[in-house]
Each structure stands twice: as C-alpha cells, then as structure tokens.
Amino acid sequence: LPPEALEASPRPHVHRVRRRDGGWAWMETTARPLHDASGVLWEIQTDSRDVSERIRAECERAALGRVTAAGAEGTPFARVAELAAREA
C-alpha cells in the first residue's frame, strides 16, 4: 500500500487483483493504523471491496463523453461511428 494509506484519515487505494478464474477485479482498499497506548504501531486494519462495476461504468461514461464531444465538434458522422465502435 502507498504511504498515504497509513495516514490517520486514509484515502482509498484502487488497484487490480487477479481472480482465481484468471480474470481481473478492481478492488478499493483502505488501511487504518492502530497504535497501542504508547503510540507504537501494533496493527494495520484493512478493508477491501470489489469496485469492478463502478470502474466499468466510469470507463463507459468517459468513452461516451469522448464520442459525444467528437460529434459536437463537427466530426463527420462516419468518424464518430468509428470512434464509438472502437470504444465498445
């Protein structure tokens, strides 16, 4: 995990992991340091969740935005259709 994952208020870290079936999944992991009474780090608690669907939806939305922008900029329809096919 990156160093910022151990901050007092850590930000989630998004990364890919290989699934048992050989495919890939996107995971979001947050790590929280736990200290003893004297302030010594004694444990790092982590929480992970599968965010593959969210990442897929974000990618689709970005692709749609690129195709829409190309159409709005006056790009010929054939070129917009080609971009859309490539993004799919």
Side-chain angles (χ1 to χ4, degrees):
L1 292 172
E4 63 270 10
L6 298 179
E7 295 172 359
S9 298
R11 294 180 303 270
H13 174 71
V14 178
H15 53 100
R16 286 189 338 157
V17 296
R18 179 73 75 169
R19 296 188 319 239
R20 288 184 185 185
D21 66 3
W24 291 95
W26 285 96
M27 301 297 289
E28 182 177 79
T29 300
T30 303
R32 186 174 17 274
L34 299 178
H35 302 86
D36 64 14
S38 62
V40 174
L41 178 67
W42 65 277
E43 183 176 71
I44 298 174
Q45 230 177 35
T46 61
D47 178 40
S48 297
R49 64 190 183 113
D50 186 338
V51 292
S52 299
E53 285 302 311
R54 185 188 83 200
I55 298 295
R56 182 196 57 72
E58 288 171 358
C59 289
E60 285 181 3
R61 185 172 51 246
L64 179 60
R66 287 189 295 275
V67 170
T68 302
E73 292 170 356
T75 303
F77 179 76
R79 178 71 177 128
V80 173
E82 179 184 320
L83 287 171
R86 212 177 321 148
E87 295 285 351

